[in-house]
């Protein structure tokens, strides 16, 4: 039984999956923040172009 506990504590494959999940979540949050801040600027640019063309 003690050997099973030691083997469980040494296993790191689950930690790697959690790390990848955290990285993916961080990338998603950063992408949403970037799209939100640049989105308003792009809308203004497209409105300006539309006004000049129309």
């Amino acid at each position: 039984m003690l050997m099973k506990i030691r083997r469980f504590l040494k296993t790191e494959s689950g930690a790697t999956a959690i790390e990848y999940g955290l990285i993916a979540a961080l990338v998603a949050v950063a992408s949403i923040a970037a799209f939100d801040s640049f989105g308003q600027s792009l809308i203004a640019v497209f409105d300006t172009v539309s006004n000049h063309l129309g």
Side-chain angles (χ1 to χ4, degrees):
M1 182 69 176
L2 187 58
M3 292 299 290
K4 288 184 180 183
I5 294 173
R6 285 184 183 169
R7 196 172 342 141
F8 176 74
L9 292 175
K10 287 184 180 183
T11 303
E12 295 183 4
S13 61
T16 303
I18 292 172
E19 290 169 356
Y20 283 134
L22 290 174
I23 290 170
L26 180 63
V27 168
V29 169
S31 298
I32 291 170
F35 292 146
D36 187 44
S37 65
F38 291 123
Q40 297 301 321
S41 299
L42 286 175
I43 289 172
V45 168
F46 286 127
D47 284 342
T48 303
V49 170
S50 175
N51 290 335
H52 285 283
L53 292 176

